[in-house]
């Protein structure tokens, strides 16, 4: 294994998110929108849009933040994978860590918490939709028991190029 992705951050504290985390979470999300291919939109979220998005997760109890030295350095959420009732036991996760803190075990701590929370909630399967070139996220999910479910070619576009979506799944119950 690559030591860069295997270091541990014992001082990281993962806790349920709350409304006061909005600005930190929104900053992380908008940085990912503006600079990366993890979120396939070109439009940063406004504070109002971010509050509605986070509020939905808070209402479900499915939002967590990672703190390091009292600073929010990452967040993780899970939510419905599809809106149809037949998918009500399946959720999709999202994990984001601020620049300069990747590879320190923060994403792993967040994903562990998401899996544990979704399992305790009685959910059946967790899905991860990952931009196919994001090898670090794919490895993170593999280490947490996710299996490759398929890759759909050129289903998204950002920064003038087509993106492939790798789907991974983990059975929870």
């Amino acid at each position: 294994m690559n030591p860069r992705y295997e270091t541990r951050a014992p001082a990281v504290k993962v806790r349920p998110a709350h409304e006061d985390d909005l600005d930190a979470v929104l900053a992380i999300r908008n940085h990912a929108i503006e600079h990366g291919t993890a979120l396939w939109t070109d439009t940063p979220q406004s504070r109002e849009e971010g509050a509605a998005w986070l509020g939905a997760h808070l209402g479900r109890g499915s939002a967590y933040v990672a703190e390091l030295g009292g600073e929010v350095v990452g967040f993780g959420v899970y939510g419905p994978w599809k809106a149809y009732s037949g998918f009500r036991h399946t959720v999709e996760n999202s994990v984001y860590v601020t620049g300069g803190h990747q590879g320190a075990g923060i994403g792993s701590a967040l994903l562990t918490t998401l899996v544990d929370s979704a399992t305790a909630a009685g959910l059946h399967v967790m899905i991860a939709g990952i931009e196919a070139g994001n090898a670090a996220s794919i490895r993170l999910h593999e280490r947490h028991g996710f299996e490759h479910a398929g890759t759909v070619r050129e289903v998204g576009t950002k920064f003038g190029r087509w993106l492939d979506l790798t789907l991974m799944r983990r059975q929870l119950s």
Side-chain angles (χ1 to χ4, degrees):
M1 289 189 208
N2 185 335
R4 176 177 173 200
Y5 297 106
E6 295 301 318
T7 59
R8 297 287 180 244
V12 169
K13 175 185 174 189
V14 175
R15 62 165 174 78
H18 46 73
E19 290 178 0
D20 292 343
D21 295 316
L22 174 61
D23 290 330
V25 169
L26 190 58
I28 295 167
R29 268 181 73 81
N30 281 339
H31 185 271
I33 289 169
E34 293 169 358
H35 301 283
T37 56
L39 284 162
W40 293 4
T41 181
D42 300 317
T43 308
Q45 279 191 320
S46 68
R47 194 164 200 288
E48 295 74 27
E49 291 166 331
W53 174 85
L54 183 59
H57 287 291
L58 293 176
R60 283 190 297 272
S62 62
Y64 297 86
V65 295
E67 289 183 334
L68 187 60
E71 175 189 1
V72 172
V73 294
F75 74 89
V77 297
Y78 65 85
W81 186 49
K82 300 275 186 191
Y84 297 111
S85 63
F87 294 107
R88 68 187 170 276
H89 302 290
T90 302
V91 290
E92 182 175 10
N93 80 70
S94 296
V95 174
Y96 293 89
V97 177
T98 59
H101 292 286
Q102 290 98 350
I106 296 167
S108 185
L110 284 163
L111 188 53
T112 295
T113 301
L114 294 179
V115 167
D116 291 348
S117 174
T119 300
L123 296 164
H124 185 63
V125 170
M126 183 174 279
I127 300 289
I130 305 168
E131 193 276 316
N134 189 342
S137 185
I138 290 169
R139 282 191 303 271
L140 169 68
H141 283 81
E142 287 172 342
R143 285 194 311 269
H144 286 268
F146 285 75
E147 62 187 10
H148 185 264
T151 298
V152 189
R153 304 282 179 219
E154 297 185 0
V155 293
T157 185
K158 193 166 182 184
F159 304 133
R161 63 186 176 99
W162 290 105
L163 301 173
D164 300 340
L165 181 67
T166 293
L167 294 173
M168 300 186 77
R169 70 174 293 280
R170 175 178 167 159
Q171 190 154 338
L172 302 171
S173 62

